[in-house]
Amino acid sequence: MKTVRLTMAQALLRFLDAQYVSVDGVETKFVQGVMGIFGHGNVTGLGEALERSAGSLVFIQGKNEQGIVHAAAAYAKQSNRKRIFACTTSIGPGALNMVTAAATATVNRIPVLLLPGDNFASRQPDPVLQQLEVTSDYTISATDPFKPVSKYWDRIVRPEQLLTAAPQAMRVLADPAETGAVTLALPQDVQAEAYDYPVSFFDKKVHYLDRRPPAPSALARAAGLAAGKRKPLIIAGGGVLYAEATAELAAFAEAFNIPVAETQAGKSSLPWNHPLNVGAIGVTGTLAANLLAREADLIIGVGTRYSDFTTSSKSAFGHPEVQFLNINVCAFDSSKLNGAALTADAREGLKALHAALADVSYKSGHDDAQIKALRKQWEDEVDRLYTEEHEAGFSQTRALGAIQEAIDPSAVVVCAAGSLPGDLHRLWRPAQPKTYHMEYGFSCMGYEISGAFGAALAEPDRDVYAIVGDGSYLMLHSELVTSLQEGRKITILLFDNHGFQCIHNLQRGHGSDGFGNEFRYRSQETGRLTGGYLPIDFAAHARSLGAKAYRAENAEQLTEAIRRARGETVTTLIEIPVLAGTNTSGYESWWNVGVPQVSVSEKVVKAGVEMQERIIAVSLR
């Protein structure tokens, strides 16, 4: 057997450089490069290997460990999970900074490969700088917290262990049903240890992502269930986009006259103006979708994991005989809500069910006029919100309307947290697939700018906009600098409403007077954060980092700022002061949140009683 002597880190990079995926006969290089921040736990191991690497892996220098994983996840998401980046950090705090983003990737079923440094396997210099010492179990390190948020986790304590660990990592990363964050913890001494690796270990490896067809018996059960229903509703999730099944979704809906509602991850599965697209579903849903969900006797979930926002905490479906039919490549998701599971690739599942229902000449009982009327009613509401002026200032929905009007239909909008995802889910009108990039599995604050950078890496020929609130911007904006460094322009649309107003609205809606969620000075009179708003100049801050920046206080200024931003060649920020509380809400939706049953406030007690009554009503259905 022919061998080559390499350090473990060198071997890992050579292995990653040889990985490909094949979908529908098209091969794509799987691992594009490594994003990282170096410290003593990885700089002389993996860092030196990257410096001297003769392969094609690019290295991108991050500014925050959480940020680089968000960027890598966004890159994979925008690439339909066919291309990924690995992320490396030092031990201790550098590693732990990745944990939140690792969970974000796993919740969203997005592949990212994490390569954190780890304690010395030899233990010769223990305890080293940044080492976490657990007195009851010395095998625990700062990489152990990755276990619950990783789909695969391993610690390579001998260089030859790479021979089994690396293929296992690839198995999970390339599996559409089981993908997510994969962590290979790399002790810093082992990274530099040499081993005689088989040359065959570095041969080109193609991972075939064969589309999984449904089992014939499952298909028969699914078709039998659907054939007996009159008012079905399709819920399109992210699996539709990952499976590139948008055409099949449209054909299925049109053949049987079934309206389509969309989750956050599934939005843009159909063009917004498709006659059967009734918009967002659930807590942040449209009136049209939520009314149809209430009367539906069958929910056909395609590529959705049914979060509480999608189901309005399981209150969205009011028909006494409603049942669920779930097409999902992941059996864990296809079995949810006691549904009939059609475990299959979304494209293959839709095609097979289409054929089976056509064989029995199925047609839904939906009234075309009702669907058209509901769509028209909602389109009028969006038009109203997009154009409504407020005497007190610029509203959030008016600003979104100006943005929708000003940007190119092919542009990608990226968002994740606050009240903006709700408004975008309800109001945004995507005309093309993959132009709506929402991280709402974890709704992780700080994803937006990092995610926009990752999306821009994946789609260099499209304009990419990060739509972000001031709270999320302050939490994590570091990869703005990385976008400048890499020459990958993004446009940041920063909505400044003086704080965490989404949660401020939530607490006031359940009896609170509002506490701790606005960016105010501490008052000497009250001793609380009830003073004036903090005067933060976000445009000046962006300029100080090297970006271009503008400020827009009304629709006309915002339209002009976007026009000028499109002419810029570097990352640009537009600061948009908006009125707090001018976001959307309601539209026949409900969300179960814990409200105190005991309080000194009568308003809170009343809200708690109302919440319990609603919970009981839902449980009795």
Side-chain angles (χ1 to χ4, degrees), residues 425-444:
H425 194 207
R426 283 194 176 102
L427 308 179
W428 197 253
R429 291 166 163 171
Q432 301 177 22
K434 304 298 288 187
T435 55
Y436 184 87
H437 182 123
M438 182 68 65
E439 187 290 290
Y440 213 64
F442 226 38
S443 185
C444 185

Side-chain angles (χ1 to χ4, degrees), residues 396 417-420 445 469-472 495-509 514-520 533 578-583:
Q396 182 161 293
S419 60
L420 285 164
M445 293 182 68
D470 52 326
S472 205
F495 284 63
D496 181 10
N497 59 13
H498 303 293
F500 307 125
Q501 296 292 353
C502 174
I503 301 303
H504 194 214
N505 293 337
L506 180 66
Q507 65 182 167
R508 288 184 299 168
F515 172 76
N517 278 307
E518 294 190 296
F519 295 159
R520 294 179 178 273
Y533 288 125
V578 294
L579 292 170
T582 55
N583 54 288

